[in-house]
Amino acid sequence: FDPPPGVVIDHHPTSTRAYIGSPALAVLPSGEYVASHDFFGPGSNRRTSIVFGSGDRGATWSRRAEIDGQWWSSLFVHEGALY
């Protein structure tokens, strides 16, 4: 198979039966990019979101947070704050 286009932010093996869903992207006032996703499927707990950040316009990404109790969420910036 050909690799996907662009930069892969995260990967989760299908064998876990927990699939990546609810993708979200936001750009902070500083110019930093933020991305998040949750997990769905029979292998997920349906209550965890993962947050990533990029300081180089999406060329590289690092995991910033794992939020328990947050699922099917999105990201947005309002008055300079990330929600």
Side-chain angles (χ1 to χ4, degrees), residues 26-35 52-58 61-62 64 77 82:
V27 179
L28 301 178
S30 67
E32 181 178 11
Y33 292 9
V34 182
F52 302 86
S54 173
D56 57 10
R57 300 180 55 132
W61 292 87
S62 62
R64 300 288 174 86
V77 175
L82 176 65

Side-chain angles (χ1 to χ4, degrees), residues 13-82:
T14 57
S15 61
T16 66
R17 299 181 62 198
Y19 312 113
I20 291 175
S22 307
L25 291 169
V27 179
L28 301 178
S30 67
E32 181 178 11
Y33 292 9
V34 182
S36 69
H37 71 73
D38 61 18
F39 296 100
F40 70 96
S44 74
N45 64 12
R46 293 192 175 144
R47 56 176 290 115
T48 303
S49 289
I50 311 295
V51 181
F52 302 86
S54 173
D56 57 10
R57 300 180 55 132
T60 60
W61 292 87
S62 62
R63 189 171 175 152
R64 300 288 174 86
E66 181 174 320
I67 306 170
D68 185 46
Q70 205 55 40
W71 188 67
W72 213 357
S73 301
S74 190
L75 297 172
F76 64 94
V77 175
H78 177 68
E79 295 184 1
L82 176 65

